[in-house]
Amino acid sequence: LSSPRGPGDSGSKRAIRRTRHKTMAPAKKGGRAKGEARTPRSYPAYDVKASKGPAHKQNPQKLRESLKPGAVLILLAGRFRGKRVVLLKALESGLLLVTGPFAVNGVPIKRVNAAYVIATSTTVDLSSVPIPAKLNDAYFAREKANIGEKDDNFFSADKPAPPVETSDERKKDQKAIDDKLLKVIEKTPMLKAYLGALFTLTKGMKPHEMKF
C-alpha cells in the first residue's frame, strides 16, 4: 500500500528524501567509510627505516645588538650560572664563545646560548687579544663513545661515568687567552673584582627595573 500523498507532494520528492537518508546513515562498526583508504595488509620489517624526508636546516639565531665581542655577560643557566664572563665572539651556530677568564672566576672557554645570558654595559677592549680561528664549533665537538657488547653495557649501566679530563691543547689555549686578557682587565680599576663577584638577587630587587 502506498502512503497517501499530501498537497504539493510528489513521488520525486519522496525519492530524494530516501536517498538523503541512505547517504547520511552511519558506517557499520569496524567498517570502512566511503572514500577512506584501505589499510595495508603487510607491514614493513623492523630493520627498515622509513624515509623522513630532507633534514631540517637549523638557521642560527639572530643576536641582540648588545651581544658584541668584549661585552661582559651574566650567565643565567648551567654549571656557572650567576658568574660574569667576557664575550669573545659569536660562532657560526649562533652560540657565544665566552671565558671568565678562568684565572679570575674559574669559567673556562666555553659555548653558551644567547637566550641564557644578560648583557651588561661593561665592555673589555679585545683589540690586543687575538682569538684563534680554531676556536669554532668543531673545536668543542665531543668524541663518540665506543659502544661495546650489549651485555657489558647492561652490567656497567649503574657504574658512574668516568670523569672528563681536559686535554693539554685546551689548557694551552686557555692560558694563552687568559694571559693577554688579564693584562687588559687589570688596566681598568675594580674590573677584575667585578668579574670575580657572583651575581645574586635579594628580596625586593626587580631585575626588569635594574640597569646592568
Side-chain angles (χ1 to χ4, degrees), residues 175-187:
K175 188 177 185 304
I177 292 181
D178 280 7
D179 292 344
K180 296 180 179 180
L181 191 57
L182 280 173
K183 294 179 181 178
V184 179
I185 293 174
E186 290 175 351
K187 294 180 181 179

Side-chain angles (χ1 to χ4, degrees), residues 70-148:
V72 176
L73 312 178
I74 301 174
L75 302 181
L76 301 179
R79 174 185 172 189
F80 302 102
R81 60 183 176 273
K83 293 195 175 184
R84 295 176 173 87
V85 294
V86 179
L87 173 59
L88 300 179
K89 66 176 181 178
L91 302 176
E92 294 182 358
S93 61
L95 299 176
L96 306 178
L97 182 68
V98 300
T99 185
F102 183 79
V104 176
N105 53 23
V107 181
I109 300 174
K110 65 191 305 291
R111 297 179 299 173
V112 296
N113 194 324
Y116 300 102
V117 299
I118 295 178
T120 66
S121 57
T122 307
T123 57
V124 179
D125 185 14
L126 298 181
S127 58
S128 60
V129 183
I131 309 300
K134 66 178 181 179
L135 296 180
N136 50 23
D137 293 306
Y139 180 84
F140 297 93
R142 296 182 180 180
E143 297 180 357
K144 294 184 178 180
N146 296 326
I147 302 177

